[in-house]
Amino acid sequence: MDRAKPYTIPKREVWEAYKRVRANQGAAGIDGQTIADFEADLTNNLYKLWNRLASGSYFPPPVRRVDIPKSDGKTRPLGIPTVADRIAQMVVKRHLEPTVEPKFHQDSYGYRPGKSALDAISVARQRCWRYNWVLDLDIKAFFDSIEPDLLMRAVRKHTDCPWVLLYIERWLKAPVQMPDGNLVARERGTPQGGVISPLLANLFLHYAFDMWMCRYFPDIPFERYADDAICHCRTEDQAMALQKALDARFTDCGLTLHPDKTKIVYCRDESRRGTHPVYKFDFLGYTFRPRLVSKKAGGMGVSFGPAASPTALKAIRARSVVGPCTFAVTRLSMIWHGCSTHTSAAGSITMVGSVRQRSNLRSGASNDT
């Protein structure tokens, strides 16, 4: 029966995709169907999904949009597919990811197997010691701005599988159901919240940013986590030239650098005492800035390094009134403890701080209860 279908998609792949979606849980889409509801008739639901995928008759339903509050008082649009659509996306992701993943840049950290935000923070911390300047990039409304034609060109460079191409194109065209119930056609972008969206976003920026940097600015290292990126420069002039070039590059790719949030930062410490109005930046929940530290040789000094941002600490404190905080605070303590074992390029400075001490005290108290 499987061979009679236009596309060869093993039923086992749909089953494995379902298990991954089930492990991730998630809210219901526009049909209101939860994972528990889907499992009430699991065999039949999975068979219908496989049958439509393998026959080419699967059309993604609209994505339910919800607005998630941000720390600055604004909201971030999130697209929630239905359970069945999440499984379908996982089938395609499982087919495409092993092909593109080995091609990605080593300093791309977001949503990749074996890489994490903490890896990006650790590398950024060490590079901030070796490079005096940072270009902190902010791409305005990235997920909503991805140009579909350029994205499909990138996808076709890595696969000619007809059903993968078919369904990615259909997902890029799937409408969005707004909170008031109205359907809005999508002309560009991929919904932030879709199962396959992070992989497609990484693939788009692999060519729009990573490979472009390697070709035109090979001496400027960077760390990128999805659409958050920082670049390390030797001089302010180099940082300014890079910002101008990236502004033009992103414009060519249909993207826009946020004029207020993209900034050049001076990594000031006791050995770098120049003047510049901006000397700190936030990256993945951490604030990088000059900090008072203890030296191994004794005494105190100033080093440029990360610690949890005020926004991240506020979120942790908000969670501390309930049980799950024990894990969050203990993990935070481990992160800072791990960072403190690294020294500067001169090998003379370790990180200390009242925040780290408070987190250790909290985790210790939690472990005793």
Side-chain angles (χ1 to χ4, degrees), residues 6 13 16 47 65 118 123 126 132 159 169 172 190 198 204 213 218 226 231 235 247 259 290 306 309 323 355 360:
E13 280 300 307
E16 294 297 329
Y47 177 81
R65 171 170 165 163
L118 291 183
V123 173
Q126 297 177 45
N132 293 344
T159 183
E169 285 186 309
L172 293 176
T190 180
F204 188 88
M213 286 287 295
C231 305
T235 66
D247 188 58
S309 68
V355 173
N360 284 334

Side-chain angles (χ1 to χ4, degrees), residues 3-39:
R3 295 179 182 176
K5 300 294 183 182
Y7 302 126
T8 303
I9 303 176
K11 293 177 182 176
R12 184 73 185 181
E13 280 300 307
V14 178
W15 171 253
E16 294 297 329
Y18 151 72
K19 290 195 296 183
R20 291 276 296 275
V21 170
R22 183 178 185 273
N24 293 334
Q25 292 297 309
I30 64 165
D31 58 1
Q33 185 182 54
T34 65
I35 291 180
D37 297 332
F38 187 87
E39 291 175 331

Side-chain angles (χ1 to χ4, degrees), residues 64-182:
R64 180 169 71 92
R65 171 170 165 163
V66 296
D67 293 319
I68 306 300
K70 296 170 61 176
S71 58
D72 58 4
K74 298 180 181 179
T75 59
R76 182 189 307 277
L78 191 69
I80 303 179
T82 64
V83 174
D85 195 43
R86 296 206 293 272
I87 297 172
Q89 290 188 35
M90 186 64 76
V91 171
V92 174
K93 178 185 176 183
R94 283 170 51 84
H95 182 91
L96 181 62
E97 188 172 52
T99 302
V100 300
E101 170 60 30
K103 306 294 185 181
F104 287 158
H105 194 278
Q106 63 180 0
D107 282 315
S108 169
Y109 296 90
Y111 310 108
R112 295 185 59 193
K115 289 181 175 287
S116 70
L118 291 183
D119 295 329
I121 293 296
S122 177
V123 173
R125 180 172 179 263
Q126 297 177 45
R127 286 175 175 165
C128 283
W129 290 332
R130 301 196 301 268
Y131 294 81
N132 293 344
W133 298 86
V134 161
L135 175 60
D136 180 16
L137 300 175
D138 187 283
I139 303 175
K140 189 175 182 181
F142 168 69
F143 279 87
D144 292 333
S145 304
I146 294 176
E147 170 57 49
D149 291 338
L150 291 179
L151 176 57
M152 290 308 302
R153 280 175 55 187
V155 173
R156 290 189 180 96
K157 283 180 67 71
H158 297 277
T159 183
D160 58 359
C161 179
W163 58 269
V164 168
L165 299 173
L166 173 69
Y167 292 126
I168 290 178
E169 285 186 309
R170 287 181 181 176
W171 278 311
L172 293 176
K173 297 176 181 177
V176 178
Q177 184 185 68
M178 305 302 288
D180 61 5
N182 289 329

Side-chain angles (χ1 to χ4, degrees), residues 58 83 87 92 149 162 199 236 258 273 283 305-306 312 337 343 353 365:
Y58 178 76
V83 174
I87 297 172
V92 174
D149 291 338
L199 180 63
E236 184 178 14
H258 198 294
R273 302 188 179 186
F283 183 53
H337 182 71
T343 59

